[in-house]
């Protein structure tokens, strides 16, 4: 296990985070997802379908400082935050490029749900069925590799996070 996180990022709530950190420490897991978004307003303005979601995530930013302090005091390791959470289900090539081109310095986790819309997925109740293949195409496109190189972005995993 490389890190911990929770469904729908409920570990941003202090009452969930503290016992989760204790369980992680007991299990020898030292890394945790920092789900606080670095979604630039420019990307949101170009996508009106994301306005409400962006406001919701901005409201949750009030928990960010407590989250970081609690994680640090527990001796855990995390990234500077995430990108892509607000864009979940609405990610297209232009929005992805905007996220990458406006990424702040630091170590950021890109949260996404690439995959295939196969028969097994059809039986699930998820709003992400259609977007999975589009995200897969975006992430595997040669233009994406070029975009990352142009912006000096190094891909790492939680194993590499220090």
């Amino acid at each position: 296990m490389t890190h911990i996180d929770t469904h729908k990022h409920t570990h941003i709530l202090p009452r969930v985070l503290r016992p989760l950190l204790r369980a992680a420490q007991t299990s020898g897991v030292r890394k945790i997802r920092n789900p606080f978004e670095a979604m630039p307003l420019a990307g949101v303005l170009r996508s009106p379908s994301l306005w409400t979601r962006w406001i919701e995530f901005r409201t949750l930013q009030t928990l960010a400082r407590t989250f970081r302090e609690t994680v640090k005091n527990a001796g855990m390791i995390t990234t500077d935050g995430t990108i892509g959470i607000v864009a979940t289900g609405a990610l297209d090539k232009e929005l992805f490029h905007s996220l990458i081109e406006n990424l702040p310095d630091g170590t950021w986790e890109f949260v996404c749900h690439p995959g295939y819309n196969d028969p097994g997925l059809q039986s699930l109740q998820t709003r992400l069925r259609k977007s999975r293949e589009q995200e897969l195409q975006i992430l595997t496109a040669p233009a994406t590799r070029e975009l990352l190189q142009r912006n000096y972005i190094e891909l790492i995993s939680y194993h590499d996070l220090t």
Side-chain angles (χ1 to χ4, degrees), residues 81-98:
T82 60
I83 61 168
I85 293 175
V86 171
T88 297
L91 190 72
D92 59 21
K93 182 180 171 185
E94 291 76 26
L95 183 54
F96 179 72
H97 281 244
S98 177

Side-chain angles (χ1 to χ4, degrees), residues 83 96-97 99-108 110 144-156:
I83 61 168
F96 179 72
H97 281 244
L99 289 171
I100 297 302
E101 290 167 350
N102 292 289
L103 190 62
D105 288 341
T107 303
W108 298 89
F110 179 61
T144 296
R145 182 174 300 278
E146 294 167 10
L147 173 70
L148 297 175
Q149 289 173 344
R150 241 187 354 266
N151 286 277
Y152 305 101
I153 294 175
E154 175 187 0
L155 300 179
I156 65 170

Side-chain angles (χ1 to χ4, degrees), residues 91 110-117 121 128-140:
L91 190 72
F110 179 61
V111 177
C112 57
H113 304 84
Y116 300 101
N117 197 359
L121 191 59
L128 304 178
R129 281 194 296 263
K130 293 180 182 176
S131 63
R132 290 180 188 272
E133 287 188 2
Q134 181 169 323
E135 287 188 15
L136 181 62
Q137 289 174 0
I138 291 167
L139 295 174
T140 57

Side-chain angles (χ1 to χ4, degrees), residues 16-147:
V16 174
L17 179 61
R18 286 189 289 273
L20 187 65
L21 291 175
R22 285 193 300 274
Q25 291 170 320
T26 301
S27 302
V29 178
R30 296 287 177 245
K31 299 169 187 172
I32 185 170
R33 172 179 284 164
N34 177 347
F36 291 96
E37 179 87 43
M39 177 73 165
L41 186 56
V44 174
L45 291 176
R46 291 175 24 200
S47 304
S49 65
L50 300 178
W51 293 357
T52 300
R53 193 160 165 82
W54 187 83
I55 291 169
E56 292 168 351
F57 274 82
R58 275 293 171 229
T59 303
L60 291 172
Q61 282 293 104
T62 59
L63 299 169
R65 191 174 92 191
T66 300
F67 175 87
R68 287 185 188 92
E69 288 173 358
T70 304
V71 167
K72 182 180 178 181
N73 290 340
M76 299 286 285
I77 300 168
T78 191
T79 62
D80 293 306
T82 60
I83 61 168
I85 293 175
V86 171
T88 297
L91 190 72
D92 59 21
K93 182 180 171 185
E94 291 76 26
L95 183 54
F96 179 72
H97 281 244
S98 177
L99 289 171
I100 297 302
E101 290 167 350
N102 292 289
L103 190 62
D105 288 341
T107 303
W108 298 89
E109 179 181 4
F110 179 61
V111 177
C112 57
H113 304 84
Y116 300 101
N117 197 359
D118 60 19
L121 191 59
Q122 294 299 322
S123 64
L124 299 177
Q125 293 291 342
T126 175
R127 66 184 176 88
L128 304 178
R129 281 194 296 263
K130 293 180 182 176
S131 63
R132 290 180 188 272
E133 287 188 2
Q134 181 169 323
E135 287 188 15
L136 181 62
Q137 289 174 0
I138 291 167
L139 295 174
T140 57
T144 296
R145 182 174 300 278
E146 294 167 10
L147 173 70

